[in-house]
Amino acid sequence: MDAPTSVVIFGASGDLTSRKLVPAIFSLWEAGALPGEWEAVGFGRRPLSDDEFRRSVRPEAVPEGWAEFAAHLHYRHGGYDDPASYEALAEQLDAFDASHGAEPGAGNRLYYLATPPDVFPVVVDRLEEAGLHRGTIGWRRVIVEKPFGRDLESARALNARILQTFREDQVFRIDHYLGKETVQNILAFRLGNGIFEPLWNRNYIDYVQILVAESLGVEGRGGYYDHAGALRDMVQNHLLQLLALVAMEPPGTFTADAVRNEKVKVLQCIRPIAPGEVDRYVVRGQYEGYRDEPGIAPDSTTETYVAMQLAIDTWRWSGVPFFLRTGKALPERRTEICIVFRQPPLTLFAKATPAEQPEGPPGQVEPTVLTLRIQPDEGISLRLGLKPPGAGMRLAPVQLGFSYRSRFGRDAPDAYERLLLDALSGDATLFIRGDEAEAAWTAVTPILEAWASSDRAPEPYPEGSWGPAAADALVKEEHCEWRPGGDAA
């Protein structure tokens, strides 16, 4: 008989549990993907009964089968730093093992740290003290939510503390972007289609852009966000993870260590930005009205927008600029990667007359662009130049592509479904390794330090714009342009 499995969510009264984690567990249960004997225990500081917890995570539109599913949900009220709470949790989990014919402590345990980041080491300390980090037969694993540290020093300290209790193969540092189907398809698209990988280098690619745009402001998260900012909240994890997948070398096998080895190499090859060059390569912005948001200091210099140019010092990418851009209060919610290919060295279309080439300046040909759309409407598109019907020789842009919704009849599964299933099965491929997290912090910590020692405030930009005007100069200096969105404010 397979060992029973318990999923313990620390911080269970928070928004993440009701909005993402419980729906993901329900979808896995509905699909028959969970172990035969399982339970989920929410651990939180708010006093709730099991029934009250079940009601707090129940969807507004109650799905069929919810009552049967909810019987597996339980709640444990306790303090994160209270040893007695963990002793009571251990007794509860042992009782569950015994109720399914297993010896107490023989079941599998997955601990999900959905708490504030400063609580991570506290929970790990108490798990160790209560003996919850080890078992007689079943496995023990821990999922750690972002942010994983505030800078390189704190990330190293957190890694060191967690690895005193758990082995690296038991630690799953989560970035939900890596669970999105289009993100996983970056490697499948490159390596599974013979026409793209030969072009995936400096000889054929002009530049790469990675965009994570949010249309909303801080939306009630001011207390957290004002101590984090866009560089910590988005660039260090989401954007650098996407960059690593785009730029990595093909792994020898699709195993967790092989894939993550190649990602670490890319992050370690990002050219450091010297303190005196931060203003040249990084644009820091703050949307107008940010300081009026609840929880925001009236003199806050926290950035809500970052645009930056990075260089990757490898044979494959030498001379290819990588432009990263993220911000709040932008015109739309959009996450995508644009691979812009070099123009063919031909003069055919440079000789076209304005009548033959009416779009743009005479002779200007739009480049071929491969776009990997991660959200919303996940999909892939390729923009080509083709001759439209009629006299004369000119090119018009044509879009080729597909979306998950139109091809498969539904949207791609939520990222947390895939990541929770992988953690339960022990597959760490889509999770971040400790040295990978530290390599990402190595790239951004000098920028944070330069901003901390500078008296230069973030550049303001209107809500609903594409950011400060200085972001345009960043790309135009390299004879590039933002895609999409056109000019900034």
Side-chain angles (χ1 to χ4, degrees), residues 148 151-152 155-160 163 173 236 267-268 432-445:
F148 195 83
D151 52 24
L152 178 58
R156 284 174 172 166
L158 182 56
N159 263 334
L163 294 178
R173 300 167 191 82
Q236 183 274 332
L267 295 172
Q268 291 174 337
I432 299 171
R433 205 166 60 191
D435 56 346
E436 191 177 341
E438 292 179 14
W441 278 117
T442 299
V444 303
T445 295

Side-chain angles (χ1 to χ4, degrees), residues 19-220:
R19 187 169 52 88
K20 290 293 185 180
L21 300 184
V22 169
I25 296 172
F26 177 79
S27 294
L28 294 174
W29 173 81
E30 194 175 35
L34 291 179
E37 305 295 343
W38 70 276
E39 77 165 340
V41 179
F43 186 107
R45 292 177 293 191
R46 193 166 66 177
L48 296 173
S49 67
D50 286 355
D51 286 340
E52 287 172 331
F53 175 62
R54 291 162 184 161
R55 286 195 295 270
S56 73
V57 297
R58 184 177 60 197
E60 288 187 14
V62 180
E64 185 177 352
W66 174 262
E68 181 183 354
F69 166 79
H72 294 269
L73 303 181
H74 310 274
Y75 189 78
R76 169 63 57 186
H77 168 232
Y80 296 129
D81 199 21
D82 175 28
S85 297
Y86 291 80
E87 292 171 6
L89 175 64
E91 293 175 1
Q92 182 175 359
L93 299 179
D94 286 347
F96 172 68
D97 293 341
S99 69
H100 292 284
E103 295 183 5
N108 302 318
R109 310 279 168 79
L110 177 63
Y111 306 116
Y112 198 118
L113 306 190
T115 65
D118 58 342
V119 179
F120 294 166
V122 175
V123 173
V124 172
D125 284 345
R126 298 297 169 262
L127 287 173
E128 183 175 6
E129 288 177 2
L132 286 164
H133 65 304
R134 60 176 180 266
T136 56
I137 299 175
W139 47 256
R140 301 290 185 270
R141 297 173 188 143
V142 58
I143 297 178
V144 185
E145 263 289 348
K146 77 173 187 74
F148 195 83
R150 284 183 52 82
D151 52 24
L152 178 58
E153 181 180 359
S154 60
R156 284 174 172 166
L158 182 56
N159 263 334
R161 175 60 200 92
I162 291 176
L163 294 178
Q164 289 174 2
T165 301
F166 296 97
R167 301 184 310 272
E168 178 63 47
D169 63 356
Q170 295 177 284
V171 182
F172 293 71
R173 300 167 191 82
I174 195 168
D175 183 337
H176 71 274
Y177 269 50
L178 299 183
K180 294 180 179 291
E181 287 290 341
T182 311
V183 173
Q184 298 169 53
N185 251 321
I186 293 172
L187 294 185
F189 187 82
R190 278 181 58 184
L191 306 178
N193 297 282
I195 64 172
F196 287 106
E197 180 58 25
L199 308 179
W200 213 262
N201 57 64
R202 60 191 174 91
N203 295 322
Y204 299 98
I205 292 177
D206 192 10
Y207 59 98
V208 176
Q209 287 189 14
I210 302 174
L211 168 70
V212 178
E214 299 177 275
S215 58
L216 301 176
V218 292
E219 293 298 301

